[in-house]
Structures are given as structure tokens and as C-alpha cells.
Coordinates of all heavy atoms in Angstrom, one line a residue:
M240 N 72.7 40.3 132.8 CA 72.2 41.5 132.2 C 71.9 41.2 130.7 O 72.1 42.1 129.8 CB 73.1 42.7 132.3 CG 73.1 43.3 133.7 SD 71.5 43.9 134.3 CE 71.2 45.2 133.1
A241 N 71.4 40.0 130.4 CA 71.1 39.7 129.0 C 69.6 39.3 129.0 O 69.0 38.9 130.0 CB 71.9 38.5 128.5
P242 N 68.9 39.5 127.8 CA 67.5 39.2 127.8 C 67.2 37.8 128.2 O 67.7 36.8 127.7 CB 67.2 39.4 126.3 CG 68.3 40.2 125.7 CD 69.5 39.9 126.5
G243 N 66.3 37.7 129.2 CA 65.8 36.4 129.7 C 66.7 35.6 130.6 O 66.4 34.6 131.1
C244 N 67.9 36.1 130.8 CA 68.9 35.4 131.6 C 68.6 35.6 133.1 O 68.3 36.6 133.5 CB 70.3 35.9 131.3 SG 71.6 34.8 132.1
V245 N 68.7 34.5 133.8 CA 68.4 34.5 135.3 C 69.7 34.1 136.1 O 69.6 33.9 137.3 CB 67.3 33.6 135.6 CG1 66.0 34.1 135.0 CG2 67.5 32.2 135.2
M246 N 70.8 34.1 135.4 CA 72.1 33.7 136.1 C 72.4 34.8 137.2 O 72.4 36.0 136.8 CB 73.2 33.6 135.1 CG 74.5 33.1 135.8 SD 74.5 31.4 136.3 CE 74.5 30.6 134.7
P247 N 72.6 34.4 138.4 CA 73.0 35.4 139.4 C 74.3 36.1 139.0 O 75.2 35.4 138.5 CB 73.2 34.7 140.7 CG 72.7 33.3 140.4 CD 72.6 33.1 139.0
A248 N 74.5 37.4 139.3 CA 75.7 38.1 139.0 C 76.9 37.5 139.6 O 78.0 37.5 139.0 CB 75.5 39.6 139.4
S249 N 76.8 36.9 140.7 CA 77.9 36.3 141.4 C 78.5 35.1 140.6 O 79.6 34.7 140.9 CB 77.5 35.8 142.8 OG 76.5 34.8 142.7
R250 N 77.8 34.6 139.6 CA 78.3 33.5 138.8 C 78.6 33.9 137.4 O 78.7 33.1 136.5 CB 77.3 32.3 138.8 CG 77.1 31.7 140.2 CD 76.1 30.6 140.2 NE 76.6 29.5 139.4 CZ 75.9 28.5 138.9 NH1 74.6 28.4 139.3 NH2 76.4 27.6 138.1
C251 N 78.6 35.2 137.2 CA 78.8 35.8 135.8 C 80.2 36.4 135.7 O 80.9 36.6 136.6 CB 77.8 36.9 135.6 SG 76.1 36.4 135.4
D252 N 80.6 36.6 134.4 CA 81.7 37.4 134.0 C 81.3 38.8 134.2 O 80.2 39.2 133.9 CB 82.2 37.1 132.6 CG 82.5 35.7 132.3 OD1 83.0 35.0 133.3 OD2 82.3 35.2 131.2
I253 N 82.3 39.7 134.5 CA 82.0 41.1 134.5 C 82.5 41.6 133.1 O 83.7 41.6 132.9 CB 82.7 41.9 135.6 CG1 82.2 41.3 137.0 CG2 82.4 43.4 135.6 CD1 80.7 41.3 137.2
D254 N 81.6 42.0 132.3 CA 81.9 42.4 130.9 C 82.0 43.9 130.7 O 81.2 44.6 131.3 CB 80.8 41.9 130.0 CG 81.0 42.3 128.5 OD1 82.0 41.9 127.9 OD2 80.1 43.0 128.0
H255 N 83.0 44.4 130.0 CA 83.1 45.8 129.5 C 82.1 45.9 128.4 O 82.3 45.2 127.3 CB 84.5 46.1 129.0 CG 85.5 46.3 130.1 ND1 86.2 45.3 130.6 CD2 85.9 47.4 130.7 CE1 87.0 45.7 131.5 NE2 86.9 47.0 131.6
T256 N 81.0 46.7 128.6 CA 80.0 46.8 127.5 C 80.7 47.3 126.2 O 80.5 46.8 125.1 CB 78.9 47.7 127.9 OG1 78.3 47.2 129.2 CG2 77.8 47.8 126.9
V257 N 81.4 48.4 126.4 CA 82.4 48.8 125.3 C 83.7 48.2 125.6 O 84.3 48.5 126.7 CB 82.5 50.4 125.2 CG1 83.5 50.8 124.1 CG2 81.1 51.0 124.9
A258 N 84.2 47.4 124.8 CA 85.4 46.6 125.1 C 86.6 47.5 125.5 O 86.7 48.6 124.9 CB 85.7 45.7 123.9
W259 N 87.4 47.0 126.4 CA 88.6 47.7 126.8 C 89.4 48.0 125.6 O 89.9 49.2 125.5 CB 89.3 46.8 127.8 CG 90.7 47.3 128.2 CD1 91.9 47.0 127.8 CD2 90.9 48.4 129.2 NE1 92.9 47.7 128.4 CE2 92.3 48.6 129.2 CE3 90.1 49.2 129.9 CZ2 92.8 49.5 130.1 CZ3 90.6 50.1 130.8 CH2 92.0 50.3 130.8
F260 N 89.6 47.1 124.7 CA 90.5 47.3 123.5 C 89.9 48.3 122.5 O 90.6 48.8 121.6 CB 91.0 46.0 122.9 CG 89.8 45.1 122.4 CD1 89.2 45.4 121.2 CD2 89.5 44.0 123.1 CE1 88.2 44.6 120.7 CE2 88.4 43.2 122.7 CZ 87.8 43.5 121.5
D261 N 88.6 48.6 122.7 CA 87.9 49.7 121.9 C 87.9 51.0 122.6 O 87.2 51.9 122.2 CB 86.5 49.2 121.5 CG 86.6 48.1 120.4 OD1 87.6 48.0 119.7 OD2 85.6 47.3 120.4
G262 N 88.5 51.1 123.8 CA 88.5 52.3 124.5 C 87.5 52.4 125.7 O 87.4 53.4 126.3
G263 N 86.9 51.3 126.0 CA 85.9 51.3 127.0 C 86.6 51.4 128.4 O 87.6 50.8 128.6
N264 N 85.9 52.1 129.3 CA 86.5 52.3 130.6 C 86.0 51.2 131.6 O 85.0 50.5 131.4 CB 85.9 53.6 131.2 CG 86.4 54.8 130.5 OD1 87.6 54.9 130.1 ND2 85.6 55.8 130.3
T265 N 86.9 51.0 132.6 CA 86.5 50.1 133.7 C 85.8 50.9 134.7 O 86.4 51.4 135.7 CB 87.7 49.4 134.3 OG1 88.4 48.7 133.2 CG2 87.4 48.4 135.4
S266 N 84.5 51.2 134.4 CA 83.7 52.0 135.3 C 82.3 51.4 135.4 O 81.9 50.7 134.5 CB 83.7 53.5 134.8 OG 83.2 53.5 133.5
A267 N 81.6 51.8 136.4 CA 80.2 51.2 136.6 C 79.3 51.4 135.4 O 78.5 50.5 135.2 CB 79.6 51.8 137.9
D268 N 79.4 52.5 134.7 CA 78.5 52.7 133.6 C 79.0 52.0 132.3 O 78.4 52.2 131.3 CB 78.3 54.2 133.4 CG 79.6 54.9 133.0 OD1 80.7 54.3 133.1 OD2 79.5 56.1 132.6
N269 N 80.0 51.2 132.4 CA 80.5 50.4 131.3 C 80.7 48.9 131.6 O 81.4 48.2 130.9 CB 81.7 51.0 130.7 CG 82.1 50.4 129.4 OD1 81.2 50.2 128.5 ND2 83.4 50.0 129.2
L270 N 80.2 48.5 132.8 CA 80.4 47.1 133.2 C 79.1 46.5 133.5 O 78.2 47.2 134.0 CB 81.3 47.0 134.5 CG 82.7 47.6 134.4 CD1 83.3 47.6 135.8 CD2 83.5 46.7 133.5
A271 N 78.9 45.2 133.1 CA 77.7 44.5 133.4 C 78.0 43.0 133.5 O 78.8 42.5 132.8 CB 76.7 44.7 132.2
P272 N 77.3 42.3 134.4 CA 77.5 40.9 134.5 C 76.8 40.2 133.4 O 75.7 40.4 133.1 CB 76.9 40.6 135.9 CG 75.9 41.6 136.1 CD 76.4 42.9 135.4
L273 N 77.6 39.2 132.8 CA 77.0 38.4 131.8 C 77.4 36.9 132.1 O 78.6 36.7 132.4 CB 77.5 38.7 130.4 CG 77.2 40.1 129.8 CD1 77.8 40.3 128.5 CD2 75.7 40.3 129.7
C274 N 76.5 36.0 131.9 CA 76.9 34.6 132.1 C 77.8 34.2 130.9 O 77.9 34.9 129.9 CB 75.6 33.7 132.1 SG 74.8 33.5 130.5
A275 N 78.5 33.1 131.1 CA 79.4 32.7 130.1 C 78.8 32.6 128.7 O 79.4 33.0 127.7 CB 80.1 31.4 130.5
G276 N 77.6 32.0 128.7 CA 76.9 31.8 127.4 C 76.5 33.1 126.7 O 76.8 33.3 125.5
H277 N 75.9 34.1 127.5 CA 75.6 35.3 126.9 C 76.8 36.2 126.6 O 76.8 37.0 125.7 CB 74.6 36.1 127.8 CG 73.2 35.6 127.7 ND1 72.5 34.9 128.7 CD2 72.3 35.7 126.6 CE1 71.3 34.6 128.2 NE2 71.2 35.0 127.0
H278 N 77.9 36.0 127.4 CA 79.1 36.7 127.1 C 79.6 36.3 125.7 O 80.0 37.1 124.9 CB 80.1 36.4 128.2 CG 81.2 37.4 128.3 ND1 82.2 37.4 129.3 CD2 81.6 38.5 127.5 CE1 83.0 38.3 129.2 NE2 82.7 39.0 128.1
T279 N 79.5 35.0 125.4 CA 80.0 34.5 124.1 C 79.1 35.1 123.0 O 79.5 35.5 122.0 CB 80.0 33.0 124.1 OG1 80.9 32.5 125.1 CG2 80.4 32.4 122.7
V280 N 77.7 35.0 123.3 CA 76.8 35.6 122.3 C 77.0 37.0 122.0 O 77.0 37.5 120.8 CB 75.3 35.3 122.8 CG1 74.3 36.2 121.9 CG2 75.0 33.9 122.7
K281 N 77.3 37.8 123.1 CA 77.6 39.2 122.9 C 78.7 39.5 121.9 O 78.7 40.3 121.0 CB 77.8 39.9 124.2 CG 78.2 41.4 124.1 CD 78.7 42.0 125.3 CE 79.1 43.4 125.1 NZ 80.5 43.7 125.4
H282 N 79.8 38.7 122.1 CA 81.0 39.0 121.4 C 81.1 38.2 120.0 O 81.8 38.7 119.1 CB 82.3 38.6 122.2 CG 82.6 39.5 123.3 ND1 83.1 40.8 123.1 CD2 82.3 39.4 124.6 CE1 83.2 41.4 124.2 NE2 82.8 40.6 125.2
H283 N 80.3 37.2 119.9 CA 80.4 36.4 118.6 C 79.1 36.1 118.0 O 79.0 35.4 117.0 CB 81.1 35.1 118.9 CG 82.5 35.3 119.6 ND1 83.6 35.8 118.8 CD2 82.9 35.1 120.8 CE1 84.6 35.8 119.7 NE2 84.2 35.4 120.9
G284 N 78.0 36.6 118.5 CA 76.7 36.3 117.9 C 76.0 37.4 117.1 O 74.9 37.2 116.6
G285 N 76.8 38.5 116.8 CA 76.2 39.5 115.9 C 75.3 40.5 116.6 O 74.6 41.3 115.9
W286 N 75.2 40.4 117.9 CA 74.3 41.4 118.6 C 75.1 42.7 118.9 O 76.3 42.7 119.0 CB 73.9 40.8 120.0 CG 73.0 39.6 119.9 CD1 73.2 38.4 119.4 CD2 71.6 39.6 120.3 NE1 72.1 37.6 119.5 CE2 71.1 38.3 120.0 CE3 70.8 40.5 120.9 CZ2 69.8 38.0 120.3 CZ3 69.5 40.2 121.2 CH2 69.0 38.9 120.9
T287 N 74.3 43.7 119.1 CA 74.9 45.0 119.5 C 74.4 45.3 120.9 O 73.2 45.1 121.2 CB 74.4 46.2 118.6 OG1 74.8 45.9 117.3 CG2 75.0 47.5 119.0
V288 N 75.3 45.6 121.8 CA 74.9 45.8 123.2 C 75.4 47.2 123.6 O 76.6 47.5 123.5 CB 75.5 44.7 124.1 CG1 75.2 44.9 125.6 CG2 75.1 43.3 123.6
V289 N 74.6 48.0 124.2 CA 75.0 49.3 124.7 C 74.3 49.5 126.1 O 73.2 48.9 126.4 CB 74.6 50.5 123.8 CG1 75.3 50.3 122.4 CG2 73.1 50.6 123.6
Q290 N 74.9 50.3 126.9 CA 74.3 50.8 128.1 C 73.7 52.2 127.9 O 74.3 53.0 127.3 CB 75.3 50.9 129.3 CG 75.8 49.5 129.7 CD 76.4 49.5 131.1 OE1 76.0 50.4 132.0 NE2 77.2 48.6 131.4
L291 N 72.4 52.3 128.2 CA 71.8 53.6 128.0 C 72.3 54.6 128.9 O 72.4 54.4 130.1 CB 70.2 53.4 128.1 CG 69.6 52.4 127.2 CD1 68.1 52.4 127.4 CD2 70.0 52.7 125.7
P292 N 72.7 55.8 128.4 CA 73.3 56.8 129.2 C 72.3 57.3 130.3 O 71.1 57.4 130.1 CB 73.6 58.0 128.3 CG 73.1 57.6 127.0 CD 72.6 56.2 127.0
D293 N 72.8 57.6 131.5 CA 72.1 58.1 132.6 C 70.8 57.2 133.0 O 69.8 57.7 133.4 CB 71.6 59.6 132.4 CG 72.8 60.5 132.2 OD1 73.9 60.2 132.8 OD2 72.7 61.4 131.4
S294 N 70.9 56.0 132.7 CA 69.8 55.1 133.0 C 70.0 54.3 134.3 O 69.1 53.5 134.7 CB 69.7 54.1 131.8 OG 70.8 53.2 131.8
G295 N 71.1 54.4 134.9 CA 71.4 53.6 136.1 C 71.7 52.1 135.8 O 71.6 51.3 136.6
G296 N 72.1 51.8 134.6 CA 72.6 50.5 134.2 C 71.7 49.7 133.3 O 71.9 48.5 133.1
V297 N 70.7 50.3 132.6 CA 69.9 49.6 131.7 C 70.7 49.3 130.4 O 71.4 50.1 129.9 CB 68.6 50.5 131.3 CG1 67.8 49.8 130.2 CG2 67.8 50.8 132.5
V298 N 70.6 48.0 130.0 CA 71.4 47.6 128.9 C 70.4 47.3 127.7 O 69.4 46.6 127.9 CB 72.2 46.3 129.2 CG1 73.0 45.8 128.0 CG2 73.2 46.6 130.4
E299 N 70.8 47.8 126.6 CA 70.0 47.5 125.4 C 70.7 46.5 124.5 O 71.9 46.8 124.1 CB 69.7 48.8 124.6 CG 68.9 48.6 123.3 CD 68.8 49.9 122.5 OE1 69.8 50.3 121.9 OE2 67.7 50.5 122.6
W300 N 70.1 45.4 124.2 CA 70.6 44.4 123.2 C 69.8 44.5 121.9 O 68.6 44.6 121.9 CB 70.4 43.0 123.8 CG 71.2 42.6 124.9 CD1 71.2 43.2 126.2 CD2 72.2 41.6 125.0 NE1 72.1 42.5 127.0 CE2 72.8 41.6 126.3 CE3 72.7 40.7 124.0 CZ2 73.8 40.7 126.6 CZ3 73.7 39.9 124.4 CH2 74.3 39.8 125.7
T301 N 70.5 44.6 120.8 CA 69.8 44.6 119.5 C 70.3 43.3 118.8 O 71.5 43.1 118.6 CB 70.2 45.9 118.7 OG1 69.9 47.0 119.5 CG2 69.5 45.9 117.4
S302 N 69.3 42.5 118.3 CA 69.6 41.3 117.7 C 70.2 41.5 116.3 O 70.1 42.6 115.7 CB 68.4 40.4 117.6 OG 67.6 40.9 116.5
P303 N 70.8 40.5 115.7 CA 71.3 40.6 114.3 C 70.2 41.0 113.3 O 70.5 41.6 112.3 CB 71.8 39.3 114.0 CG 72.2 38.6 115.3 CD 71.1 39.2 116.2
Y304 N 68.9 40.8 113.7 CA 67.8 41.1 112.8 C 67.1 42.5 113.2 O 66.1 42.9 112.6 CB 66.7 40.0 112.8 CG 67.4 38.7 112.4 CD1 67.6 37.7 113.4 CD2 67.7 38.5 111.1 CE1 68.2 36.5 113.0 CE2 68.3 37.3 110.7 CZ 68.6 36.3 111.6 OH 69.1 35.1 111.2
G305 N 67.7 43.2 114.2 CA 67.2 44.5 114.5 C 66.2 44.6 115.7 O 65.7 45.6 116.0
R306 N 65.9 43.5 116.3 CA 64.9 43.5 117.4 C 65.6 43.9 118.6 O 66.7 43.5 118.9 CB 64.3 42.1 117.6 CG 63.2 42.2 118.6 CD 62.3 41.0 118.6 NE 61.3 41.1 119.5 CZ 60.2 40.4 119.6 NH1 60.1 39.4 118.7 NH2 59.3 40.6 120.5
R307 N 65.0 44.9 119.4 CA 65.6 45.5 120.6 C 65.1 44.9 121.8 O 63.8 44.7 121.9 CB 65.5 47.0 120.5 CG 66.2 47.6 119.4 CD 65.8 49.1 119.2 NE 66.1 49.8 120.5 CZ 65.2 50.7 121.0 NH1 64.0 50.9 120.4 NH2 65.5 51.3 122.1
Y308 N 65.9 44.7 122.8 CA 65.5 44.2 124.1 C 66.2 45.1 125.2 O 67.4 45.4 125.1 CB 66.0 42.8 124.4 CG 65.5 41.8 123.4 CD1 66.1 41.6 122.2 CD2 64.4 41.0 123.6 CE1 65.7 40.7 121.2 CE2 63.9 40.1 122.7 CZ 64.5 40.0 121.5 OH 64.1 39.1 120.6
L309 N 65.4 45.6 126.1 CA 66.0 46.4 127.2 C 66.0 45.5 128.4 O 65.0 44.9 128.8 CB 65.1 47.6 127.5 CG 65.1 48.7 126.4 CD1 64.2 49.8 126.8 CD2 66.5 49.2 126.1
V310 N 67.2 45.5 129.1 CA 67.3 44.7 130.3 C 67.6 45.7 131.5 O 68.5 46.4 131.5 CB 68.5 43.7 130.2 CG1 68.7 42.9 131.4 CG2 68.3 42.8 128.9
E311 N 66.7 45.6 132.4 CA 66.8 46.4 133.6 C 67.6 45.7 134.7 O 67.4 44.5 134.9 CB 65.4 46.7 134.2 CG 64.4 47.3 133.2 CD 64.3 48.8 133.3 OE1 64.9 49.3 134.3 OE2 63.8 49.4 132.4
P312 N 68.5 46.4 135.3 CA 69.2 45.8 136.4 C 68.3 45.5 137.6 O 67.3 46.2 137.8 CB 70.3 46.8 136.8 CG 69.8 48.1 136.3 CD 68.8 47.8 135.1
E313 N 68.7 44.6 138.4 CA 67.9 44.3 139.6 C 67.8 45.5 140.5 O 66.8 45.8 141.1 CB 68.5 43.1 140.3 CG 67.6 42.6 141.5 CD 68.2 41.3 142.0 OE1 68.5 40.4 141.2 OE2 68.3 41.2 143.3
R314 N 68.9 46.1 140.6 CA 69.0 47.4 141.4 C 69.8 48.4 140.5 O 70.8 48.1 140.0 CB 69.8 47.2 142.7 CG 69.0 46.5 143.7 CD 69.8 46.3 145.0 NE 70.9 45.5 144.8 CZ 70.9 44.2 145.2 NH1 69.9 43.7 145.9 NH2 72.0 43.4 145.0
R315 N 69.2 49.6 140.4 CA 69.8 50.6 139.5 C 71.1 51.2 140.2 O 71.1 51.4 141.4 CB 68.9 51.7 139.2 CG 67.8 51.2 138.2 CD 66.9 52.3 137.8 NE 65.9 51.8 136.9 CZ 65.9 52.0 135.6 NH1 66.8 52.8 135.0 NH2 65.0 51.5 134.8
M316 N 72.0 51.5 139.4 CA 73.2 52.2 139.9 C 72.8 53.7 140.1 O 72.0 54.2 139.3 CB 74.3 52.2 138.8 CG 75.0 50.9 138.6 SD 76.0 50.4 140.0 CE 77.2 51.7 140.0
P317 N 73.2 54.3 141.2 CA 72.9 55.7 141.3 C 73.6 56.5 140.2 O 74.7 56.2 139.7 CB 73.6 56.1 142.6 CG 74.1 54.9 143.2 CD 74.0 53.8 142.2
V318 N 72.9 57.5 139.7 CA 73.4 58.3 138.6 C 73.9 59.6 139.2 O 73.2 60.3 139.9 CB 72.3 58.7 137.5 CG1 72.9 59.6 136.5 CG2 71.8 57.4 136.9
F319 N 75.2 59.8 139.1 CA 75.8 61.0 139.7 C 76.2 62.0 138.6 O 76.5 61.6 137.4 CB 77.1 60.6 140.4 CG 76.9 59.7 141.6 CD1 77.2 58.4 141.5 CD2 76.4 60.2 142.8 CE1 77.0 57.5 142.6 CE2 76.2 59.4 143.9 CZ 76.5 58.1 143.8
R320 N 76.1 63.2 138.9 CA 76.5 64.2 137.9 C 77.1 65.3 138.7 O 76.8 65.6 139.9 CB 75.4 64.7 137.1 CG 74.3 65.5 137.8 CD 73.3 66.1 136.9 NE 72.2 66.7 137.7 CZ 72.3 67.9 138.2 NH1 73.4 68.6 138.1 NH2 71.3 68.5 138.9
A321 N 78.0 66.1 138.1 CA 78.7 67.2 138.8 C 77.7 68.3 138.9 O 76.8 68.5 138.1 CB 79.9 67.7 138.0
A322 N 77.7 69.0 140.1 CA 76.8 70.1 140.3 C 77.1 71.3 139.4 O 78.3 71.5 139.1 CB 76.9 70.6 141.7
E323 N 76.1 71.9 138.8 CA 76.3 73.1 138.0 C 76.8 74.2 139.0 O 76.5 74.2 140.2 CB 75.0 73.5 137.4 CG 74.5 72.5 136.4 CD 75.3 72.3 135.2 OE1 76.0 73.2 134.8 OE2 75.4 71.1 134.7
P324 N 77.6 75.2 138.4 CA 78.1 76.2 139.3 C 77.0 76.9 140.1 O 77.2 77.3 141.3 CB 78.8 77.2 138.3 CG 79.2 76.3 137.2 CD 78.1 75.3 137.1
S325 N 75.8 77.1 139.5 CA 74.7 77.8 140.2 C 74.1 76.9 141.3 O 73.5 77.4 142.2 CB 73.6 78.1 139.2 OG 73.1 76.9 138.6
E326 N 74.4 75.6 141.3 CA 73.9 74.7 142.4 C 74.9 74.6 143.5 O 74.5 74.0 144.6 CB 73.6 73.3 141.8 CG 72.6 73.3 140.7 CD 72.4 72.0 140.1 OE1 73.5 71.3 139.8 OE2 71.3 71.6 139.8
R327 N 76.1 75.0 143.4 CA 77.1 74.9 144.4 C 76.9 75.9 145.5 O 76.5 77.0 145.3 CB 78.5 75.1 143.8 CG 78.8 74.0 142.8 CD 80.3 74.1 142.3 NE 80.4 73.1 141.3 CZ 81.1 73.4 140.1 NH1 81.7 74.5 139.9 NH2 81.2 72.5 139.2
A328 N 77.0 75.4 146.8 CA 76.9 76.3 147.9 C 78.0 77.4 147.9 O 79.1 77.0 147.7 CB 76.9 75.5 149.2
A329 N 77.6 78.6 148.2 CA 78.6 79.6 148.3 C 79.3 79.5 149.6 O 78.7 79.2 150.6 CB 77.9 81.0 148.2
P330 N 80.6 79.7 149.6 CA 81.3 79.6 150.9 C 80.9 80.8 151.8 O 80.6 81.9 151.4 CB 82.8 79.8 150.5 CG 82.8 80.3 149.2 CD 81.5 80.0 148.5
S331 N 80.8 80.5 153.1 CA 80.4 81.5 154.1 C 81.3 81.3 155.3 O 81.9 80.2 155.5 CB 78.9 81.5 154.4 OG 78.6 80.3 155.0
D332 N 81.3 82.3 156.2 CA 82.1 82.2 157.4 C 81.7 81.0 158.3 O 82.5 80.3 158.9 CB 82.0 83.5 158.3 CG 82.7 84.6 157.5 OD1 83.6 84.3 156.7 OD2 82.4 85.7 157.8
D333 N 80.4 80.7 158.4 CA 80.0 79.6 159.3 C 80.3 78.2 158.7 O 80.1 77.2 159.3 CB 78.5 79.7 159.6 CG 77.6 79.6 158.4 OD1 78.1 79.9 157.3 OD2 76.4 79.3 158.6
R334 N 80.8 78.2 157.4 CA 81.1 76.9 156.8 C 82.7 76.8 156.7 O 83.2 76.0 156.0 CB 80.5 76.8 155.4 CG 79.0 76.8 155.4 CD 78.5 76.6 154.1 NE 79.3 75.4 153.5 CZ 78.8 74.6 152.6 NH1 77.6 74.8 152.1 NH2 79.5 73.7 152.1
A335 N 83.3 77.7 157.5 CA 84.8 77.7 157.4 C 85.3 76.3 157.9 O 84.7 75.7 158.7 CB 85.4 78.8 158.2
A336 N 86.5 75.9 157.4 CA 87.1 74.7 157.8 C 87.3 74.7 159.3 O 87.7 75.7 159.9 CB 88.4 74.5 157.1
P337 N 87.1 73.6 160.0 CA 87.2 73.6 161.5 C 88.7 73.5 162.0 O 88.9 73.0 163.1 CB 86.4 72.3 161.9 CG 86.6 71.4 160.7 CD 86.7 72.3 159.5
F338 N 89.6 73.9 161.3 CA 91.0 73.9 161.7 C 91.7 75.2 161.4 O 91.2 76.0 160.8 CB 91.8 72.7 161.1 CG 91.7 72.6 159.6 CD1 92.5 73.3 158.8 CD2 90.7 71.8 159.1 CE1 92.3 73.2 157.4 CE2 90.5 71.7 157.7 CZ 91.4 72.4 156.9
Ligands
ZN119 ZN1 73.0 34.5 130.5

């Protein structure tokens, strides 16, 4: 999930985009596979890396000079959100629990 990288995820480190010690969660929207080289660049190369919210896993890298690169995942993560109260089905007798 780094610009131009073709390393298969199976050979990558799973990186917390927001580091665990900075309060980052171990959750799909904060994890991305990075090869060892790009993992080092992310942490020590002066780049800024963020996952775009509600994007299904798109990662934005910003170089030390301010150039931005968007990296699309091979397959997007489904974006889940809680249903609004108005979207929730109202309980009815035919939906009663079967026990
Ligand atoms: Zn790489």
C-alpha cells in the first residue's frame, strides 16, 4: 500500500497507519500492508501517511516536499456504518423471536 510498490501483501508487514503508541487502533481502517522497505520509509523517511476516511482503504502518502500520492487497495474494504434510527426496522409481531 505504498506508491509504486508491487510487493504482495502476504510478504508485507501489517502496519498501523496511526501508530499503536500514538493511539491507533488495531482495526481494518487503521491497518495496511507495507513491504519492509516502505515500512522503514514511512517511519523514518519524513513522509506523512493517512487512510482516507470511509474510502474502503485508500492510503494517502505525502512526501517530505508535499507531493501527494493516493494508493488504492487491490480490493476495497467494505465500509460499514451504524443505521440511523429512522433506517432501523420497527419491531412487529411477525418478526418476533422464534422461541
Ligand atoms: Zn514497498
